């Protein structure tokens, strides 16, 4: 596991992070000596004080949930370490008052000891009413294994913060708030999953963790999961396993909440820190589908980064058996900067919200267009071989593009190859097909499947190639006709981009290929010219594209990925001609 952190001192990182919250929000106060964030406008004589906290490393929990409508204060320990009793006592003194204080604590031994002892000290010193609400929502560790310790506190804790914070803002009594809090805790279940462990800033990275395995039943303190899966399952299979643990009320060991008689339910899909937002949204969608298949339609769906384990590559699923009051409390506004967009801020739309549109573009390879006819068998073979060669080259192209680009070149070309193969499979080229019609269908497939600069360049080239073929006066296609049309398409492409030989782009392979093909009429010599052009890009200074922005020494390591793609295509065409 590589050290990808920017801080070598874990303790200073925690205080700097808390200071950063104050830089963001003008209503927060940072008490540096006790590492506590408090809400500046909280009135402890009118509103019950809500304090939470724990070790750092779970951001945005808990400090970013301090604000109007959520926590009054949050106290932080060092990374994955409970805050001290003195820190918690001082936090109670800072924001506590006559309305009473509730300490919301995740069920971990250190937190339980320290927060309970702090509550006792605060009661003795200032006569405050201080209560402790323990949250344990984990379902991965069953009753038998957890024994007297009980369930771990996970992402469901954040729902406790939000609901109780909204109720406190209404001025309700400490007993009313505690009653709702206990009801939430009794109706919460959470299950987490992660791919391996994380590197804690300020410690030596574990070099033996490169081949991380999926661990089901992850906590939030970098501990091992309850089940280590030797073979990485599909997302569908993984979600099924998680929902089995979450929803099977008849499981004597892990059946904690029965959702059959639910009034409402809330789904929270939480990022453990290192899962991309692209994947998180997709994971949320698949979770909703899985719940729907089990007859559970959540009243509210929440998704985001709320309770992390540093940058763990994983997520957790929380389900709350909710009441109308809890739903209203989740919907109520808050100024806490870590909370999600409030549901009530949206204006619901009752019409169809997933719309599939069809374009007027045709992917029919047998379009009735002018120009020379094709030799169907030869054309099909050439295109199929070109696509297959491109797909075979994709891993290497992707690897090289990660060094000198953004890593998407191989995937983009792969999508195009698959789309073109589908067009040929759906509407095979016939002997009556014109070259222009067949190539235009390829251009349409590229347009619908390839994005970015590569997609635009390929679409333009093949569209111009089709146009040139349609203007040809010959009856039957030949190498000379292909070469002339390709040269015309190249000229159109050059009118749209300044890229030329020597700029480290796909043009370093495409231009020599077309020039030799037109001059010599020899496909194999043209392929050799393309290879030579590709190889020349290794060490070449980039003038265009994302490679311009990478470190210059990387240019010596690999050739241009775009040029590699061109060579794969023409090699496939040449293979079919043998």
């Amino acid at each position: 596991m590589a050290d990808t952190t920017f801080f070598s001192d874990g303790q200073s990182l925690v205080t700097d992070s808390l200071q950063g919250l104050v830089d963001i929000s003008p209503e927060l106060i940072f008490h540096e000596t006790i590492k506590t964030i408090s809400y500046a406008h909280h009135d402890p004589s009118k509103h019950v004080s809500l304090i939470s906290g724990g070790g750092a490393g779970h951001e945005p929990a808990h400090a970013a949930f301090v604000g109007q409508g959520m926590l009054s204060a949050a106290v932080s320990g060092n990374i994955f370490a409970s805050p001290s009793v003195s820190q918690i006592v001082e936090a109670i003194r800072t924001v506590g008052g006559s309305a009473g204080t509730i300490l919301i604590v995740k069920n971990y031994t250190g937190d339980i000891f320290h927060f309970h002892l702090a509550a006792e000290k605060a009661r003795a010193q200032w006569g405050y009413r201080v209560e402790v609400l323990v949250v344990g929502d984990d379902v991965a560790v069953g009753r038998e294994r957890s024994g007297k310790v009980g369930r771990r506190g996970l992402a469901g804790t954040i729902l406790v913060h939000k609901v109780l914070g909204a109720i406190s803002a209404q001025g309700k009594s400490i007993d009313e708030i505690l009653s709702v809090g206990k009801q939430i805790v009794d109706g919460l279940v959470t299950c987490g999953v992660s791919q391996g462990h994380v590197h804690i800033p300020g410690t030596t990275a574990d070099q033996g963790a490169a081949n991380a395995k999926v661990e089901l039943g992850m906590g939030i303190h970098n501990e091992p999961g309850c089940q280590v899966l030797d073979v990485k399952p599909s997302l569908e299979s993984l979600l099924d396993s998680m929902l089995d643990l979450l929803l099977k009320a008849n499981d004597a060991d892990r059946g904690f909440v029965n959702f059959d008689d639910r009034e409402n339910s809330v789904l929270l899909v939480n990022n453990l820190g290192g899962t991309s937002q692209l994947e998180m949204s997709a994971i949320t969608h698949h979770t909703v589908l899985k719940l729907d298949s089990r007859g559970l339609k959540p009243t509210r769906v929440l998704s985001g980064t709320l309770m992390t384990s540093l940058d763990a590559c994983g997520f957790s699923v929380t389900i709350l058996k909710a009441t109308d009051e809890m739903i209203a409390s989740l919907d109520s506004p808050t100024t806490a900067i870590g909370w999600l967009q409030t549901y009530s801020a949206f204006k619901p739309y009752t019409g169809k919200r997933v719309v599939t549109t069809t374009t007027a573009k045709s992917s029919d390879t047998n379009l009735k267009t002018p120009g020379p006819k094709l030799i169907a068998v030869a054309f099909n073979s050439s295109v199929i071989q070109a696509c297959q060669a491109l797909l075979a080259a994709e891993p290497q192209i992707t690897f090289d593009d990660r060094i000198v680009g953004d890593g998407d070149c191989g995937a983009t070309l792969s999508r195009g190859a698959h789309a073109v193969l589908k067009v040929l499979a759906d509407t095979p080229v016939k002997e009556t097909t014109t070259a222009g019609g067949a190539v235009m269908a390829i251009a349409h497939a590229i347009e619908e499947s390839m994005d970015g600069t590569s997609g635009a360049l390929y679409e333009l080239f093949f569209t111009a190639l089709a146009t040139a073929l349609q203007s040809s006066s010959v009856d039957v296609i030949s190498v000379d006709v292909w070469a002339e049309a390709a040269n015309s398409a190249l000229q159109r492409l050059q009118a749209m981009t300044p890229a030329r030989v020597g700029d480290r782009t796909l043009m370093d392979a495409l231009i020599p290929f077309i020039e030799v093909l037109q001059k010599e009429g020899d496909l194999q010599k043209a392929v050799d010219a393309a290879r030579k052009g590709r190889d020349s890009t290794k060490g070449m200074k980039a003038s265009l594209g994302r490679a311009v922005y990478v470190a210059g020494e990387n240019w010596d390591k690999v050739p241009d990925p775009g040029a590699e793609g061109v060579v794969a295509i023409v090699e496939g065409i040449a293979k079919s001609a043998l």
Side-chain angles (χ1 to χ4, degrees), residues 435-436 439-444 446 456-472 481-496 510 514:
V439 173
M440 185 58 75
I442 291 175
H444 287 158
I446 289 171
L457 292 174
Y458 274 88
E459 182 191 350
L460 177 59
F461 178 82
F462 278 98
T463 301
L465 180 62
T467 302
L469 290 168
Q470 291 171 20
S471 65
S472 175
V481 175
W482 280 116
E484 189 63 36
N487 185 61
S488 176
L490 177 61
Q491 291 178 25
R492 296 293 301 164
L493 191 61
Q494 288 176 320
M496 298 297 292
L510 182 63
I514 293 175

XYZ file of all heavy atoms in Angstrom, residues 435-436 439-444 446 456-472 481-496 510 514:
328
model
N -19.951 1.361 -50.189
C -18.892 1.639 -49.220
C -19.253 2.833 -48.349
O -19.040 2.836 -47.136
C -17.575 1.883 -49.948
N -19.841 3.865 -48.990
C -20.209 5.061 -48.234
C -21.242 4.780 -47.167
O -21.152 5.275 -46.040
N -19.593 2.755 -44.211
C -18.700 3.586 -43.400
C -19.493 4.617 -42.598
O -19.146 4.932 -41.451
C -17.640 4.264 -44.292
C -16.814 5.260 -43.490
C -16.729 3.213 -44.914
N -20.583 5.143 -43.184
C -21.403 6.101 -42.438
C -22.037 5.440 -41.222
O -22.158 6.062 -40.154
C -22.494 6.686 -43.337
C -23.314 7.782 -42.664
S -22.295 9.192 -42.096
C -21.975 9.983 -43.672
N -22.419 4.158 -41.350
C -22.964 3.437 -40.201
C -21.913 3.302 -39.098
O -22.224 3.391 -37.908
C -23.463 2.054 -40.647
N -20.665 3.087 -39.501
C -19.574 3.027 -38.518
C -19.413 4.381 -37.828
O -19.227 4.459 -36.600
C -18.261 2.610 -39.209
C -18.347 1.144 -39.646
C -17.064 2.819 -38.278
C -17.152 0.667 -40.438
N -19.508 5.464 -38.611
C -19.391 6.813 -38.037
C -20.493 7.058 -37.009
O -20.255 7.639 -35.946
C -19.445 7.863 -39.142
N -21.721 6.592 -37.312
C -22.827 6.758 -36.369
C -22.573 5.967 -35.087
O -22.862 6.440 -33.984
C -24.137 6.298 -37.018
C -24.651 7.235 -38.054
N -25.520 6.850 -39.050
C -24.397 8.556 -38.281
C -25.791 7.890 -39.825
N -25.116 8.936 -39.376
N -19.719 5.174 -33.821
C -18.664 5.874 -33.084
C -19.237 7.073 -32.339
O -18.923 7.324 -31.172
C -17.541 6.304 -34.049
C -16.765 5.071 -34.525
C -16.601 7.305 -33.380
C -15.785 5.355 -35.630
N -14.393 12.449 -31.085
C -14.625 13.481 -32.091
C -13.738 13.275 -33.319
O -14.191 13.416 -34.467
C -14.374 14.857 -31.484
N -12.473 12.928 -33.111
C -11.549 12.740 -34.225
C -11.944 11.535 -35.080
O -11.959 11.605 -36.322
C -10.120 12.559 -33.696
C -9.482 13.782 -33.038
C -8.129 13.427 -32.438
C -9.317 14.914 -34.055
N -12.280 10.446 -34.440
C -12.674 9.251 -35.187
C -13.993 9.473 -35.933
O -14.158 9.058 -37.090
C -12.795 8.048 -34.249
C -11.496 7.318 -34.028
C -10.617 7.685 -33.014
C -11.127 6.250 -34.847
C -9.411 7.020 -32.811
C -9.932 5.571 -34.659
C -9.074 5.963 -33.643
O -7.880 5.301 -33.449
N -14.946 10.114 -35.269
C -16.228 10.364 -35.929
C -16.045 11.262 -37.149
O -16.610 11.011 -38.225
C -17.209 11.006 -34.944
C -18.575 11.244 -35.564
C -19.468 12.120 -34.710
O -19.110 12.385 -33.551
O -20.519 12.556 -35.228
N -15.245 12.311 -37.006
C -15.008 13.220 -38.124
C -14.318 12.505 -39.274
O -14.695 12.646 -40.449
C -14.166 14.413 -37.659
C -13.757 15.427 -38.742
C -14.981 16.011 -39.419
C -12.902 16.536 -38.141
N -13.311 11.680 -38.954
C -12.572 10.994 -40.004
C -13.487 10.042 -40.776
O -13.501 10.034 -42.011
C -11.390 10.219 -39.410
C -10.613 9.455 -40.442
C -9.651 10.087 -41.225
C -10.854 8.105 -40.647
C -8.941 9.386 -42.191
C -10.146 7.389 -41.606
C -9.193 8.035 -42.380
N -14.269 9.230 -40.063
C -15.104 8.249 -40.753
C -16.269 8.911 -41.482
O -16.706 8.425 -42.534
C -15.597 7.187 -39.763
C -14.584 6.117 -39.499
C -13.770 6.167 -38.373
C -14.414 5.070 -40.387
C -12.822 5.190 -38.137
C -13.460 4.075 -40.156
C -12.658 4.142 -39.027
N -16.778 10.010 -40.951
C -17.817 10.744 -41.676
C -17.265 11.313 -42.978
O -17.900 11.208 -44.044
C -18.390 11.878 -40.809
O -18.930 11.326 -39.607
C -19.484 12.630 -41.545
N -16.074 11.910 -42.905
C -15.436 12.446 -44.111
C -15.056 11.330 -45.085
O -15.130 11.502 -46.313
C -14.196 13.248 -43.728
N -14.674 10.179 -44.547
C -14.347 9.036 -45.397
C -15.587 8.579 -46.153
O -15.525 8.273 -47.364
C -13.795 7.901 -44.529
C -13.402 6.603 -45.251
C -12.264 6.873 -46.247
C -12.988 5.533 -44.239
N -16.730 8.519 -45.460
C -17.982 8.127 -46.114
C -18.368 9.127 -47.199
O -18.793 8.742 -48.297
C -19.094 8.012 -45.070
N -18.210 10.413 -46.918
C -18.535 11.442 -47.899
C -17.670 11.310 -49.147
O -18.159 11.412 -50.281
C -18.354 12.837 -47.282
O -19.194 12.957 -46.132
C -18.703 13.931 -48.281
N -16.376 11.067 -48.940
C -15.453 10.917 -50.075
C -15.814 9.692 -50.910
O -15.760 9.717 -52.148
C -14.020 10.807 -49.569
N -16.193 8.600 -50.271
C -16.564 7.384 -50.994
C -17.840 7.592 -51.807
O -17.984 7.073 -52.919
C -16.750 6.222 -50.015
C -15.469 5.690 -49.363
C -15.796 4.760 -48.203
C -14.597 4.961 -50.385
N -18.766 8.349 -51.243
C -20.027 8.602 -51.955
C -19.820 9.432 -53.213
O -20.609 9.358 -54.162
C -21.011 9.308 -51.022
C -21.532 8.436 -49.884
C -22.338 9.208 -48.860
O -22.824 10.305 -49.146
N -22.472 8.648 -47.661
N -18.773 10.220 -53.248
C -18.516 11.066 -54.421
C -17.683 10.356 -55.480
O -17.441 10.919 -56.560
C -17.809 12.348 -53.983
O -16.519 12.054 -53.451
N -17.231 9.138 -55.175
C -16.416 8.398 -56.145
C -17.286 7.918 -57.306
O -18.432 7.498 -57.124
C -15.748 7.199 -55.456
O -15.044 6.418 -56.403
N -9.087 3.267 -54.379
C -10.249 4.088 -54.011
C -10.258 4.355 -52.506
O -10.505 5.480 -52.059
C -11.560 3.393 -54.447
C -12.775 4.195 -53.947
C -11.609 3.255 -55.956
N -9.963 3.296 -51.731
C -9.870 3.475 -50.278
C -8.791 4.501 -49.929
O -9.005 5.376 -49.077
C -9.542 2.159 -49.593
C -10.690 1.215 -49.394
C -10.841 -0.013 -49.941
C -11.846 1.429 -48.568
N -12.020 -0.599 -49.525
C -12.662 0.272 -48.669
C -12.281 2.478 -47.770
C -13.874 0.133 -48.003
C -13.487 2.337 -47.091
C -14.272 1.187 -47.206
N -7.648 4.402 -50.578
C -6.532 5.303 -50.282
C -6.890 6.744 -50.615
O -6.588 7.669 -49.843
C -5.297 4.870 -51.065
N -7.543 6.957 -51.756
C -7.918 8.315 -52.164
C -8.942 8.904 -51.196
O -8.860 10.076 -50.801
C -8.475 8.294 -53.583
C -8.708 9.669 -54.188
C -7.418 10.471 -54.346
O -6.372 9.863 -54.651
O -7.461 11.706 -54.142
N -9.911 8.084 -50.824
C -10.939 8.558 -49.894
C -10.339 8.834 -48.520
O -10.701 9.811 -47.844
C -12.055 7.518 -49.779
N -9.410 7.970 -48.070
C -8.766 8.172 -46.772
C -7.949 9.462 -46.776
O -7.924 10.196 -45.775
C -7.874 6.986 -46.436
N -7.288 9.755 -47.881
C -6.514 10.993 -47.972
C -7.431 12.214 -47.909
O -7.112 13.215 -47.261
C -5.704 11.006 -49.267
C -4.788 12.218 -49.344
O -3.904 12.399 -48.514
N -4.998 13.061 -50.358
N -8.592 12.116 -48.562
C -9.559 13.214 -48.492
C -10.063 13.405 -47.062
O -10.194 14.539 -46.579
C -10.736 12.915 -49.431
O -11.729 13.913 -49.315
N -10.336 12.286 -46.378
C -10.797 12.368 -44.984
C -9.723 12.962 -44.087
O -10.013 13.736 -43.162
C -11.201 10.980 -44.491
N -8.458 12.602 -44.376
C -7.355 13.146 -43.586
C -7.270 14.660 -43.737
O -7.041 15.388 -42.757
C -6.038 12.498 -44.019
C -4.773 13.017 -43.332
C -4.839 12.772 -41.821
C -3.536 12.354 -43.924
N -7.460 15.144 -44.952
C -7.417 16.590 -45.180
C -8.527 17.301 -44.405
O -8.313 18.389 -43.857
C -7.539 16.880 -46.684
C -6.321 16.444 -47.494
C -6.501 16.711 -48.975
O -7.258 17.578 -49.379
N -5.794 15.940 -49.798
N -9.723 16.680 -44.365
C -10.819 17.270 -43.595
C -10.479 17.278 -42.103
O -10.774 18.238 -41.393
C -12.105 16.464 -43.822
C -12.618 16.497 -45.252
C -13.084 17.875 -45.640
N -14.160 18.345 -44.769
C -14.543 19.610 -44.681
N -13.900 20.549 -45.383
N -15.542 19.951 -43.896
N -9.837 16.201 -41.650
C -9.447 16.110 -40.249
C -8.400 17.161 -39.906
O -8.469 17.813 -38.851
C -8.903 14.708 -39.963
C -8.678 14.311 -38.495
C -9.991 14.344 -37.731
C -8.058 12.920 -38.409
N -7.449 17.360 -40.802
C -6.388 18.343 -40.563
C -6.916 19.775 -40.577
O -6.307 20.668 -39.992
C -5.284 18.165 -41.598
C -4.460 16.901 -41.387
C -3.421 16.680 -42.461
O -3.677 16.905 -43.646
N -2.245 16.229 -42.067
N -8.054 19.979 -41.241
C -8.667 21.317 -41.231
C -9.297 21.625 -39.880
O -9.527 22.788 -39.553
C -9.719 21.415 -42.333
N -9.555 20.560 -39.080
C -10.227 20.737 -37.798
C -9.275 20.679 -36.602
O -9.634 21.084 -35.505
C -11.296 19.653 -37.624
C -12.392 19.695 -38.685
S -13.338 21.231 -38.642
C -14.173 21.046 -37.079
N -1.431 7.857 -38.014
C -2.437 7.930 -39.074
C -1.901 8.570 -40.352
O -2.129 8.060 -41.460
C -3.660 8.704 -38.570
C -4.829 8.818 -39.552
C -5.385 7.444 -39.875
C -5.917 9.730 -38.982
N -1.664 6.698 -44.147
C -2.430 7.116 -45.327
C -1.505 7.567 -46.451
O -1.734 7.265 -47.638
C -3.418 8.237 -44.940
C -4.492 7.668 -44.000
C -4.059 8.852 -46.180
C -5.446 8.703 -43.459
